[in-house]
Amino acid sequence: MKQVLLSIGLLLVLTACYKDKGNYDYVDIKPPVLSNFDSSYVAYAGDSLIISPVVKLPDGRTDMTCTWKISIPEEARSADYEGPSLRIVYGLGASRYSALFTIMDNTTGMKYFYNFTIIGKTAFTSGTVVLSEDGGVGKLSFIKPDGSVQPDIYEGINHESLGTGALQVVPVQNLYYMNVITAYWVVCAGGTHPAIEVDANNMKRLKYINENFYDAPTVIRPNYFQNIVNGTTTAIINNQMYIGSAETAPFATYYGFYGVAVAGTYNLHPSFVFTVSQSDNYYLGFDAVKRNFIRFTGGTYFGTDYVQVDSVFNPKDLKMDLIKMAKFSENDMYAFCDSAGKVLELKFALDFSNGNTRFQTIYKKEFPAANLLTADTRWQTSPIGVFFFTSGDKIYRYNPLNREVKALTSDFGGKAVTMIKVIEDGNKLIAGTEGSIYTLDISTGKYGDILQKTDGIPGKIIDIVVR
């Protein structure tokens, strides 16, 4: 027993005398000191983009390698540069681009990474795009932020005319991918090329409407285009519904292309309401021949296959002609209809989500301002739940809750108002007449005070997009 204890003691002594020969002399490598470098830079197409950071390596070292990488997802590539400064002529579009500045300390082999953003802009990034009609022909103009006008820029840049019977200018913007306006559809009722897509960065033509089909119909008569949050458009063409393709990548060639019209026997009015999101997708249109409300879900025509709740009016057999349809929310929708010369205001609610098909009729009343409506009346809704509509050289505000109709105080010099558009969350209203655009104050307690007037637009104003 003593011999065993002696052996154990000797082992402990020998173990205690063993020296750890590992190298524990750690060196703390300090990062570079970076200055004159920001997290974002604004660059204008065609102008120089120069970024010159000041880099100081520790202990006075100067041997380093610097590289720059700008990611261009729409082209599935990056633009790569080398050198202590980035000096390029910016040639990308009006978008946000993620970029990376890398410093390699050649003495230690360590790399240091610094992320930043390039915000691309062009001469057309900020301002107002205006579609007007002069002598029956569409004209596209641009108002700069300083108020100066570039009239008829489409023809000047592309050396061709737009179509006839101007209808709309529609922005193309993908909420889920970069969320910037990349193009506009300039929509006319007729002409050799009645609708044309133009690049938002330079106003150059991207394609004619027939080039946006997998197999274009022989005759193309645009009725109405609606921009969708995924960067496509839903179009009423030849009184049929065409839904832009979203099956490919947003920057792919065929993204937003039209296939065949949604199958079914119907004749769509250009006014409709809809919900399109990542989880829901439905449209409620109006058949101008059968005179009833019809449902489309997931690109399929269901006609009057929905459940009517209440019986204030019959949406499946309305026996009226639609004037205008509008939506504030799923529970707050309106249709103004002509019933044998009498204008009726219909209110209804829809539950077409998650497999439901309920159409609830809420009320049917005579519209209190029927005498003011004309064939040229233009309508706009405000986020606060009121309508604005035109009548000759006047604009009226209509509140459906208390049924008040009130004329705005704006004076347009006797010229007919040909366009209205609500902007800035319902605080301002843009009005257009022959040759002029007015910005009106419609904020709380205001009834159309003129804030700004811009002249020099060729012809009567049809539509605008404010960037």
Side-chain angles (χ1 to χ4, degrees), residues 241 243 261-264 266 281-283 294-303:
M241 179 175 286
I243 297 177
V262 176
Y266 59 89
N281 180 334
Y282 79 79
Y283 298 85
I294 51 179
R295 176 173 70 96
F296 299 81
T297 299
T300 301
Y301 168 70
F302 286 95

Side-chain angles (χ1 to χ4, degrees), residues 120-134:
K121 294 188 176 183
T122 74
F124 301 108
T125 297
S126 299
T128 303
V129 179
V130 183
L131 176 64
S132 60
E133 184 178 288
D134 189 19

Side-chain angles (χ1 to χ4, degrees), residues 295 297 302 304-309 316 349-360:
R295 176 173 70 96
T297 299
F302 286 95
T304 57
D305 183 12
Y306 49 80
V307 177
Q308 179 181 342
V309 180
K316 300 183 180 183
L350 298 178
D351 183 5
F352 284 176
S353 302
N354 302 315
N356 297 318
T357 62
R358 291 192 288 271
F359 187 122
Q360 181 182 5

Side-chain angles (χ1 to χ4, degrees), residues 343-396:
V343 179
L344 297 181
E345 174 188 329
L346 312 179
K347 184 176 181 180
F348 57 94
L350 298 178
D351 183 5
F352 284 176
S353 302
N354 302 315
N356 297 318
T357 62
R358 291 192 288 271
F359 187 122
Q360 181 182 5
T361 60
I362 299 176
Y363 71 60
K364 178 177 68 174
K365 301 177 180 178
E366 286 195 36
F367 180 53
N371 62 307
L372 297 174
L373 301 184
T374 72
D376 296 320
T377 290
R378 299 292 180 262
W379 297 78
Q380 274 283 288
T381 58
S382 169
I384 64 173
V386 300
F387 291 92
F388 292 90
F389 66 92
T390 67
S391 180
D393 63 345
K394 300 292 184 183
I395 301 175
Y396 293 85

Side-chain angles (χ1 to χ4, degrees), residues 113-147:
F113 304 95
Y114 303 89
N115 294 295
F116 65 101
T117 301
I118 297 175
I119 304 171
K121 294 188 176 183
T122 74
F124 301 108
T125 297
S126 299
T128 303
V129 179
V130 183
L131 176 64
S132 60
E133 184 178 288
D134 189 19
V137 179
K139 302 288 183 181
L140 199 66
S141 301
F142 189 78
I143 304 175
K144 296 180 179 180
D146 63 4

